[in-house]
Amino acid sequence: DQQVKQNSPSLSVQEGRISILNCDYTNSMFDYFLWYKKYPAEGPTFLISISSIKDKNEDGRFTVFLNKSAKHLSLHIVPSQPGDSAVYFCAASRSQTGANNLFFGTGTRLTVIP
Amino acid sequence: DVKVTQSSRYLVKRTGEKVFLECVQDMDHENMFWYRQDPGLGLRLIYFSYDVKMKEKGDIPEGYSVSREKKERFSLILESASTNQTSMYLCASGFPPGTYGYTFGSGTRLTVV
């Protein structure tokens, strides 16, 4: 049962334009959300996160928006660059004692066309 | 920088072999995780550990076991490798996700023939 969903397996965007990657979740107990970026043959690298008490977090060209009522978050990349071409994973976590597992979506492959 | 090191980048093993995948982290993290990544399925949690000698099953523990005898080392064991365990295996570690998430190793591409 997939608690975190990324319904778009791929996205192509022209260099300099905005990339919008979407993510939906089903568990209302999630209180932290993260985006990871993954290049082929490498492990995922942390990109940006947002707490459930916020609706927006910005870091340079990357902004994550959270809509708790819709259980939806999105990652905006502006402007998109060819080096942004990678697979992006959305992840969610629920704070609890013992351990904090991350639940991942299936990923969206972003291609930025020069 | 936090470093998570996986012992092998590529492994080829035969069906029925016992396989050990090793992961070491250098930042005294409490939580360590083993995921596998398969096309169209994203990252799926196999096992995790929040302390030495503690382990918890993830979403797909069947056919796997783990060992955490020291805080910095988390081993994934395939008791009897099968072809459906051919995958990319990713180890991660960290404190509770908070602001910076977990740090992943570079992965081990395991092929079972």
Side-chain angles (χ1 to χ4, degrees):
Chain A
D1 184 25
Q2 196 81 23
Q3 298 189 57
V4 178
K5 299 177 184 178
Q6 293 175 259
N7 293 319
S8 298
S10 63
L11 174 69
S12 289
V13 170
Q14 209 72 33
E15 181 178 3
R17 306 294 290 267
I18 184 171
S19 295
I20 301 176
L21 295 93
N22 293 304
C23 178
D24 298 293
Y25 61 96
T26 57
N27 189 340
S28 58
M29 299 296 289
F30 287 144
D31 54 6
Y32 235 98
F33 304 90
L34 307 93
W35 285 94
Y36 281 82
K37 175 180 179 179
K38 187 181 184 299
Y39 292 118
E42 292 184 16
T45 54
F46 169 77
L47 196 55
I48 192 169
S49 66
I50 188 167
S51 162
S52 59
I53 63 173
K54 293 186 171 183
D55 55 19
K56 177 183 174 182
N57 189 25
E58 194 171 350
D59 183 3
R61 295 185 298 114
F62 302 91
T63 303
V64 56
F65 295 92
L66 175 63
N67 182 335
K68 279 173 47 181
S69 61
K71 294 193 181 68
H72 177 84
L73 64 156
S74 61
L75 174 69
H76 293 210
I77 306 173
V78 184
S80 301
Q81 298 173 354
D84 296 329
S85 297
V87 177
Y88 288 78
F89 289 99
C90 170
S93 173
R94 178 170 69 90
S95 300
Q96 58 185 343
T97 56
N100 299 87
N101 183 20
L102 283 177
F103 295 87
F104 283 87
T106 53
T108 296
R109 181 177 301 278
L110 173 66
T111 303
V112 180
I113 304 162
Chain B
D1 272 358
V2 176
K3 202 161 184 186
V4 178
T5 304
Q6 294 185 230
S7 53
S8 306
R9 290 300 300 270
Y10 300 95
L11 274 180
V12 180
K13 296 292 182 180
R14 294 194 181 278
T15 300
E17 273 194 80
K18 191 168 186 175
V19 181
F20 292 86
L21 303 183
E22 304 287 344
C23 176
V24 177
Q25 50 97 359
D26 64 359
M27 282 298 290
D28 203 34
H29 286 157
E30 296 152 356
N31 295 344
M32 295 189 75
F33 302 82
W34 276 105
Y35 290 88
R36 62 178 281 180
Q37 183 198 0
D38 300 289
L41 296 176
L43 277 70
R44 293 181 293 166
L45 181 66
I46 305 170
Y47 266 97
F48 63 100
S49 168
Y50 54 88
D51 202 352
V52 175
K53 296 193 186 294
M54 304 302 288
K55 59 186 179 185
E56 295 281 348
K57 292 180 180 179
D59 299 321
I60 50 165
E62 297 78 18
Y64 303 94
S65 63
V66 290
S67 171
R68 192 159 182 208
E69 297 296 318
K70 294 184 179 181
K71 195 173 189 179
E72 68 269 20
R73 186 179 296 270
F74 192 36
S75 304
L76 179 70
I77 304 153
L78 285 67
E79 298 291 343
S80 176
S82 63
T83 54
N84 63 12
Q85 292 178 310
T86 292
S87 186
M88 168 71 89
Y89 289 87
L90 293 158
C91 175
S93 79
F95 297 116
T99 309
Y100 300 110
Y102 292 137
T103 301
F104 280 83
S106 298
T108 296
R109 170 70 66 185
L110 173 67
T111 302
V112 182
V113 298

